Amino acid sequence: MTASPPHWNRLGLFILTIAFLESVHGWPASAAGNVTIESNNNDPKVHCDRTRWYDICWFFFANYILHALSVRSLPGENFYLATVFKLCCLLVPYTGLRRGLCLISRAGNLAGNDLQAAARANALCMVIRKPDWRPRIGDEVSGCQLEVHSLGANDTPASDAEKESHCELTSTGTAESGSSGTSSEQGNRKDEKALHIQVTDVYKPPLCRGLVNKLAEALIETYHFRSKTPTCSIVDHDSVKIQGRCELSEGYALAYVPADMEVYPRNSFTSNNASPGLLPQKPRSQTRLASAHDFPRILFSLTQTVSGAYALYRARGSQIERYGFAAFGLTVLPFIVISILNLLGSLLTREYETIFLVHSSSMDEMTDRGGILDGAVGSIHAPAEDEAQIPIGGGREGMDTSGINVIFGGSEDSLTCRDSTTQSDRLESYSIQPWATPMPAKRCGWRLFLSRLMLGPFQTPNPLQQVTVNSRIIIPSHPPFSRLPPPSSQIFMNMLSIILLVIAFATPYIVIGILSGFKANHATGNQRTFTLNWLISGQISGYAIGNIEKLTKNNTLKGLIFVFVCYGSYCLGALVVVAQEMIEFGTCKAD
């Protein structure tokens, strides 16, 4: 596994310490060759010396690089991806805007315990069944649904309302069609003996109610923090570091635990040595997870804010009179704003160096097939004394718990199943078949890129081939769970995030308007173009990175490269302009 993001903290602290010691004792070459440049200011109490290379380096480090180091990393994010993200935050400061606002909106520190705080920070994961999961002899799966209906060659799958009118579930878990005649039943009898397996998510994202919550979901939440079904929030093993040992069997994957899924402390025994039907007892103490308020990031945010405010203060007077709104001292405004948001996010949500595993019956099922998982810190199964008092929910308005328990049997070549809930043998006449075979998605270059950018992954065509089936058994991708109600402070945190979003966009223009009146004064065309485009284009591209994340699901690397290629030229040009202005204007100090 690659190095973790805290290596950047040590590097930043080292450079900050060296810079502080040098500022106390004086730069080695600062006393030699001082040349007063009187033409760059009209204040007799202020004299400007020639700008040295270390003056430019310190200005860039204190106002730009420290901001990039203050940006929060995602839980378990590896060193390579964290480095790319910080580089984009260095060039486009608004790249970290929505990540910081999401941390403020989630406010994991306000959760009741460490497990729920980690879930709100996307630091927990669980084992789920993938769409290509196949049953084995002896497997028992609970919460299954059985549907029997006919589809024509040119028909599309029926909606929920159409299924209710076309398919009627009986008490034994089978379905009977009320519209088929005797001849039709005889003609399709052979096809009805094939029972197709389909793995479907039980968890559905909660409905977003209220104007404030809807605005927060649309404007604040990035694809990584947005509530999604488990199969749409798969953990990328190459991009994150997982606590403990993780070797998955075929047909299984790791998915992020949703923020509203209740996680209980890990039971004192596993299902492998427990008696059937015995539930874990409620522990006496809460689980503690390794997390912390990252002090180096807080220090970087505070240092950058103070340094940026000082640079902004020094921009008053002759610097603005010379360069107007293109003054190099005004370019620190976006970095100050986002550093403050990063500071608030670091205070409200703890940082996790790894992602933690959560136990479930799907994990036990996977380990029985040869998988290896070690280090689970919690469970989505309720303790015995709390189970009767906990509302079970999986859908938008609650989960239908009327599913059946299915036991698979037969042989490896011909799998069968039976209903263990009603002890009915009506399912034994069906043969188990796969639902659909994945087809390779057609790649259309930029057309596919733009379609996924505008429509999102949920509106793009399903790459799975549609098959004509008469019967199917729906297997849940994960076991039942308990849904938590929204925190009482959620609407307030969402409102605060929206207000901070407006402030983050408006503050630079308000301050620049007050100090310079939006006048160019003696700034050249290149100075005006690069500094203004750095602000405007940086705001647009930095905000859009939250939507570009959905192009590569949880991996933001392609989105970051897209932002860098499209807007990196203006950022690099603006940094060159800042250095040129500093050399031309000089380093001014008051007597």
Side-chain angles (χ1 to χ4, degrees), residues 412-483:
E412 294 292 341
D413 298 331
S414 178
L415 280 176
T416 60
C417 64
R418 62 184 178 89
D419 180 9
S420 65
T421 305
T422 60
Q423 300 300 326
S424 173
D425 59 353
R426 298 186 62 179
L427 296 180
E428 295 183 0
S429 59
Y430 289 87
S431 62
I432 305 301
Q433 302 292 334
W435 169 248
T437 56
M439 296 181 61
K442 297 181 179 180
R443 299 190 177 276
C444 304
W446 285 103
R447 292 179 59 186
L448 177 63
F449 182 88
L450 294 177
S451 65
R452 294 185 64 184
L453 175 60
M454 302 302 296
L455 299 178
F458 301 110
Q459 287 75 30
T460 52
N462 191 347
L464 294 181
Q465 179 185 11
Q466 293 290 345
V467 295
T468 303
V469 297
N470 291 338
S471 304
R472 66 174 178 173
I473 180 171
I474 300 177
I475 304 294
S477 62
H478 56 86
F481 64 94
S482 304
R483 188 188 291 276

Side-chain angles (χ1 to χ4, degrees), residues 11 96 113 164 256 443 450 490 513:
L11 177 61
N113 53 67
E164 292 178 359
Y256 289 99
R443 299 190 177 276
L450 294 177
Q490 187 62 59

Side-chain angles (χ1 to χ4, degrees), residues 511-526:
V511 176
I512 291 175
I514 293 175
L515 295 180
S516 67
F518 295 106
K519 296 179 180 179
N521 296 337
H522 303 291
T524 63
N526 286 336

Side-chain angles (χ1 to χ4, degrees), residues 217-281:
E217 182 181 31
L219 301 177
I220 302 298
E221 293 183 355
T222 63
Y223 183 79
H224 183 83
F225 286 95
R226 191 168 297 155
S227 298
K228 303 180 294 295
T229 57
T231 54
C232 293
S233 59
I234 301 298
V235 177
D236 186 2
H237 288 211
D238 297 330
S239 301
V240 299
K241 184 169 62 175
I242 301 174
Q243 178 76 20
R245 187 178 179 184
C246 178
E247 296 180 10
L248 299 176
S249 302
E250 184 179 0
Y252 297 89
L254 292 179
Y256 289 99
V257 175
D260 59 341
M261 182 179 291
E262 187 163 8
V263 183
Y264 302 92
R266 184 74 166 93
N267 49 359
S268 58
F269 56 82
T270 62
S271 60
N272 294 330
N273 56 18
S275 301
L278 184 61
L279 293 175
Q281 298 297 318

